[in-house]
């Protein structure tokens, strides 16, 4: 059998077995482009970020024990995933302010000395038993976690394009609300990733924040020029030569949630773990000699011990699976950063990592993060 045909047969068999594969190609500018391929299974209806539905197949509904989670694969040796001097970094984010993040995720992060960024919906704090309380958010901050803004009520911002007062309340009001409770936020998170491509919303966000995070891409390229399927960018400036918003810029920092149910897949926890490992290591072709050019920014939501919750809520993760993922990062030498370590070089229009003694980012700069304080007018509830 010819070598090319044999290689193709191996790839098909691996995909059929639902083993993720990482492909690397080179574009017109010799920029490396990554593809993560896996087998897909069709679903009759869609589910995403905060959509809840029951999955087609029956699963165990009893609570999981942290001591009886699925067998953990051994750590992948550094020699098998890239050069030993490759910069392996990750930014961990949590959205919405779920109490499970404080009760379950924080102890696991503490176990490994990891810090994370928590995007808080200010109007939901303590509003229901499953949301964090203000003392819990304060405890996160006091323990070195990064607290950022995720609107007042977690709405679809695109629903309020004809209601500037409501947009201002959700975006600027959330910053003021968090400030009133002692949190100085400089980064905004778009709920459901909606609005990050609309100039009216982005310009309002820019009045109050230094950066904003949206989805959906497995890597954030610090020079903004590696996003496949989108117009090529030479750098991270906000508008192109035609005056259109660019795909990635300081108000469109690209991240991705681990959504285990959607039209294309229906993953169990072991399959999600395989996706996690592949995504973490997809940065390696871009980062070498301690220099960071690409960072996976991963976003978690609710955590649970109950498989019924996992099976019905697309963005929910199990606590044992989260623990397995954090253990993988620790055992394989990943450096965990928080989102407010991002800084921006306005002269070269690229991002870099500030306050980090061990890695150098795309611009070659390591410096303290500088932020600006926007002038605010009083914000009233609409």
């Amino acid at each position: 059998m010819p070598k090319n045909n044999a290689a193709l047969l191996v790839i098909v068999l691996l995909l059929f077995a639902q083993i993720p594969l990482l492909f690397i190609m080179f574009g017109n500018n010799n920029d490396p482009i990554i593809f993560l391929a896996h087998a897909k299974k069709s679903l009759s209806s869609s589910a995403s970020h905060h959509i809840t539905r029951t999955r087609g197949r029956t699963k165990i509904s009893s609570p999981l024990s942290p001591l009886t989670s699925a067998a953990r694969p051994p750590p992948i040796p550094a020699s098998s995933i890239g050069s030993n001097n490759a910069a392996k970094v990750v930014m961990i984010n949590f959205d919405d302010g779920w109490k499970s993040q404080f009760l379950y995720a924080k102890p696991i992060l503490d176990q490994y000395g990891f810090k994370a960024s928590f995007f808080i919906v200010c109007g939901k704090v303590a509003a229901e038993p499953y949301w964090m309380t203000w003392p819990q958010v304060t405890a996160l901050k006091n323990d070195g976690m990064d607290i950022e803004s995720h609107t007042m009520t977690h709405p679809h911002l695109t629903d309020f394009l004809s209601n500037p007062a409501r947009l201002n309340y959700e975006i600027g009001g959330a910053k003021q609300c968090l400030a009133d409770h002692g949190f100085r936020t400089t980064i905004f998170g778009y709920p459901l990733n909606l609005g990050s491509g609309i100039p009216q919303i982005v310009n309002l966000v820019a009045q109050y924040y230094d950066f904003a995070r949206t989805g959906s891409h497995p890597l954030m390229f610090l020079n903004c020029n590696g996003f496949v399927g989108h117009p090529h960018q030479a750098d991270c400036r906000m508008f192109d030569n035609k005056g259109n918003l660019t795909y990635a810029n300081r108000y469109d920092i690209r991240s991705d949630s681990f959504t285990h149910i959607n039209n294309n897949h229906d993953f169990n926890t072991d399959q999600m773990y395989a996706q996690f490992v592949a995504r973490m290591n997809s940065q390696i072709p871009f980062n070498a000699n301690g220099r960071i050019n690409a960072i996976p920014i991963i976003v978690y939501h609710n955590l649970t011990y109950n498989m019924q919750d996992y099976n019905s809520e697309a963005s929910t993760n199990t606590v044992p699976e989260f623990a397995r993922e954090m253990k993988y990062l620790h055992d394989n030498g990943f450096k965990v950063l928080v989102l407010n370590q991002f800084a921006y070089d306005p002269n070269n229009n690229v991002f870099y990592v500030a306050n980090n003694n061990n890695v150098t980012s795309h611009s070659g700069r390591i410096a303290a993060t500088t932020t600006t304080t926007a002038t605010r007018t009083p914000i009233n509830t609409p």
Side-chain angles (χ1 to χ4, degrees):
M1 179 183 296
K3 291 183 178 180
N4 290 344
N5 291 343
L8 180 60
L9 177 60
V10 170
I11 290 172
V12 171
L13 290 174
L14 289 173
L15 287 175
F16 184 76
Q18 296 181 340
I19 298 175
L21 297 177
L22 187 69
F23 296 94
I24 303 174
M25 299 179 61
F26 290 86
N28 295 334
N29 299 312
N30 288 324
D31 295 326
I33 299 172
I34 60 168
F35 294 91
L36 180 63
H38 54 77
K40 296 182 178 181
K41 295 189 291 182
S42 298
L43 296 177
S44 59
S45 60
S46 63
S48 58
H49 190 78
H50 286 291
I51 297 176
T52 301
R53 68 173 180 81
T54 302
R55 300 214 277 188
R57 63 178 185 272
T58 302
K59 280 184 167 286
I60 299 170
S61 60
S62 59
L64 290 173
S65 163
L67 300 178
T68 59
S69 58
R72 298 177 179 179
I76 298 176
S79 60
S80 70
I81 58 177
S83 61
N84 290 329
N85 63 351
K88 297 188 294 184
V89 297
V90 59
M91 291 181 171
I92 301 171
N93 289 194
F94 293 88
D95 273 10
D96 306 338
W98 292 91
K99 185 172 288 186
S100 62
Q101 297 168 2
F102 182 85
L103 296 178
Y104 303 140
K106 183 180 182 298
I108 296 168
L109 294 172
D110 291 345
Q111 178 182 354
Y112 299 114
F114 294 163
K115 303 302 179 185
S117 298
F118 291 78
F119 283 77
I120 303 299
V121 179
C122 198
K124 291 190 176 184
V125 175
E128 298 288 349
Y130 43 81
W131 300 125
M132 276 190 258
T133 64
W134 285 116
Q136 289 171 334
V137 180
T138 299
L140 290 174
K141 174 190 172 186
N142 292 343
D143 203 33
M145 303 295 179
D146 173 29
I147 306 301
E148 301 296 350
S149 175
H150 201 38
T151 70
M152 286 295 295
T153 67
H154 202 279
H156 293 191
L157 293 177
T158 50
D159 289 346
F160 304 119
L161 295 178
S162 61
N163 189 344
R166 178 61 185 271
L167 280 177
N168 202 45
Y169 170 71
E170 293 290 349
I171 296 169
K175 183 181 180 77
Q176 186 63 59
C177 175
L178 288 164
D180 291 343
H181 287 87
F183 304 98
R184 182 177 179 270
T185 58
T186 60
I187 307 173
F188 179 77
Y190 299 93
L192 303 167
N193 304 321
L194 296 176
S196 64
I198 299 177
Q200 177 185 347
I201 294 175
V202 173
N203 287 333
L204 185 59
V205 170
Q207 291 182 30
Y208 294 99
Y209 302 90
D210 297 329
F211 300 103
R213 191 213 70 205
T214 187
S216 298
H217 200 279
L219 292 175
M220 174 61 194
F221 293 92
L222 274 64
N223 55 11
C224 299
N225 68 0
F227 297 101
V228 64
H230 300 276
H232 178 77
Q233 294 181 226
D235 54 33
C236 299
R237 66 190 68 196
M238 284 185 63
F239 297 94
D240 62 21
N241 293 334
K242 297 180 179 179
N244 300 313
L245 272 174
T246 54
Y247 177 74
N249 55 70
R250 62 189 302 170
Y251 295 103
D252 286 283
I253 295 172
R254 295 291 163 173
S255 66
D256 208 4
S257 301
F258 281 100
T259 303
H260 57 272
I261 310 170
N262 66 21
N263 273 337
N264 296 324
H265 61 243
D266 184 10
F267 290 150
N268 61 36
T269 54
D270 286 339
Q271 290 171 316
M272 286 303 297
Y273 179 73
Q275 290 288 308
F276 175 86
V277 171
R279 188 183 301 181
M280 293 306 96
N281 292 308
S282 67
Q283 66 185 284
I284 291 175
F286 309 97
N287 300 339
N289 301 317
R291 183 177 295 275
I292 299 176
N293 297 300
I295 299 176
I297 303 174
I298 54 176
V299 183
Y300 292 97
H301 296 86
N302 192 21
L303 299 177
T304 184
Y305 281 110
N306 193 307
M307 283 304 293
Q308 261 187 330
D309 293 339
Y310 176 83
N311 291 340
S312 61
E313 298 168 5
S315 61
T316 291
N317 201 1
T318 68
V319 179
E321 176 55 30
F322 177 76
R324 176 162 62 160
E325 292 168 1
M326 296 303 102
K327 184 178 187 298
Y328 175 82
L329 295 178
H330 173 268
D331 291 352
N332 290 279
F334 285 79
K335 185 171 182 63
V336 177
L337 308 175
V338 291
L339 202 57
N340 71 3
Q341 287 181 260
F342 261 155
Y344 191 77
D345 178 356
N347 295 319
N348 296 301
N349 288 305
V350 295
F351 291 92
Y352 63 98
V353 177
N355 301 324
N356 188 357
N357 295 324
N358 298 322
V359 294
T360 304
S361 53
H362 176 78
S363 67
R365 297 178 55 182
I366 293 184
T369 304
T370 57
T371 59
T372 57
T373 302
T375 302
R376 297 193 298 270
T377 56
I379 300 166
N380 299 315
T381 303

